[in-house]
Structures are given as C-alpha cells and as structure tokens.
C-alpha cells in the first residue's frame, strides 16, 4: 500500500510543479508531513474491493471458459476469458478504485492542478462528495485505462495459471 500511494502521487504531479523529485523524496516528504498514516491513505477501499474482485473475476473466468468454442485452443481461451473476466470485474468495482486514488491524494500539495477537494472523510463520504460535485460519472473517471490494464493483467495471469496447471497434470501422468 505505501508504494501504491507513492506511485499515485508521483503520477499525479504536473511537470514544472513537482512536489517530489523522485521515490526517495516522496518517502521522506510523506514521512515528515504526514507520518505513517500518509503511507496508508485509501487502504479501506483497497481492502473492500479485494475479495469481490477476485470472486467476480474467477466466476466470470469459469463462465467465459465454458462458453469458449474452440477446445483445441485452450491457451487462447484462457487468455481471452481471463481478459474479459478482469475487464468486467474492474468495471463493476472501479468506483472503489477511483475513491482509493482520491484518498491517496490527501495531504498532497497540488499546486497547478486546479481545484482540489478534501477527501479525508473516508470511503462513503468521498463517494457522496464525488457524486455531488461530479455526478455519477465522476466515479468512473479513468475507467478506460484501468480496463486495459485489467484485461492485460488478468488475461496473462489466467493464461499462465492454466499453463502451470497443465504442466502439473502432465507431470503426474
């Protein structure tokens, strides 16, 4: 989680208005300005989304694999089904991911980033604040790149999972 907070803040910096010069500077800056809690901002939505994401992803993967029509192309089926499962699971739970990133930005000096909001109220109050200020669509800002990442990660994960399972099955014969 601390590395995710640091990554989020480094990515959010605007060129010419950088708060941190790099990872080490971000670690030191957060330590001095925010203490240990600064490294764990946004952990509640992160923890809340783990189990449902995994459950939805595996359930959808199994459903998509059953629908895969080409039995001679299991690796392609695993790649495609995993990518689809990851994409759908990410889409369903994306508001938690967006809220996590908003909470991770708390304490961040955002000079040059336009209007900032105080999202230090926690998961539910942040959701309400985003919907009030940005409409329901605000909960899905940045969805497209996250879907692409989820498709690639899940597709590859399930592909290698199936390859490893096949390898174990063959070694037991």
């Amino acid at each position: 989680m601390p590395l995710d907070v640091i990554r989020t803040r480094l990515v959010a910096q605007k060129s010419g208005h950088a708060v941190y010069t790099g990872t080490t500077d971000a670690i030191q800056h957060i330590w001095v300005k925010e203490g240990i809690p600064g490294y764990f901002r946004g952990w509640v939505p992160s923890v809340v989304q783990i189990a449902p994401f995994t459950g939805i992803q595996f359930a959808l993967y199994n459903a998509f694999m059953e629908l895969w029509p080409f039995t001679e192309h299991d690796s392609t089926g695993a790649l495609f089904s995993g990518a689809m499962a990851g994409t759908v699971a990410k889409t369903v739970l994306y508001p938690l991911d967006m809220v996590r990133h908003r909470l991770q930005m708390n304490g961040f000096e955002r000079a040059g980033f336009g209007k900032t909001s105080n999202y230090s109220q926690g998961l539910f109050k942040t959701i309400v604040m985003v919907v009030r200020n940005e409409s329901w669509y605000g909960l899905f800002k940045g969805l497209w790149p996250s879907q692409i990442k989820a498709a690639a990660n899940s597709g590859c994960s399930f592909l290698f999972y199936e390859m490893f399972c096949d390898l174990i099955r063959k070694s037991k014969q």
Side-chain angles (χ1 to χ4, degrees), residues 2-11 13 19-31 39:
L3 294 176
D4 195 42
V5 170
I6 292 165
R7 180 193 64 84
T8 298
R9 291 186 183 188
L10 288 171
V11 168
Q13 294 186 118
V19 175
Y20 311 121
T21 58
T23 304
T24 306
D25 185 49
I27 292 168
Q28 292 170 344
H29 193 272
I30 293 169
W31 178 260
Y39 296 113

Side-chain angles (χ1 to χ4, degrees), residues 55-66:
I56 292 169
Q57 188 180 27
F58 271 93
L60 289 172
Y61 172 74
N62 289 330
F64 288 135
M65 281 299 284
E66 286 184 22

Side-chain angles (χ1 to χ4, degrees), residues 12-85:
Q13 294 186 118
K14 186 174 181 182
S15 181
H17 295 283
V19 175
Y20 311 121
T21 58
T23 304
T24 306
D25 185 49
I27 292 168
Q28 292 170 344
H29 193 272
I30 293 169
W31 178 260
V32 170
K33 296 265 184 176
E34 304 170 55
I36 291 174
Y39 296 113
F40 293 92
R41 296 195 186 278
W43 72 272
V44 171
S46 192
V47 169
V48 168
Q49 77 179 6
I50 290 171
F53 180 82
T54 303
I56 292 169
Q57 188 180 27
F58 271 93
L60 289 172
Y61 172 74
N62 289 330
F64 288 135
M65 281 299 284
E66 286 184 22
L67 295 173
W68 185 250
F70 310 108
T71 55
E72 67 276 1
H73 300 290
D74 285 343
S75 60
T76 307
L79 182 66
F80 177 79
S81 297
M84 292 299 297

Side-chain angles (χ1 to χ4, degrees), residues 145-159:
S146 286
Q147 287 175 319
I148 294 170
K149 180 181 173 187
N153 285 343
S154 296
C156 289
S157 293
F158 281 107
L159 171 64

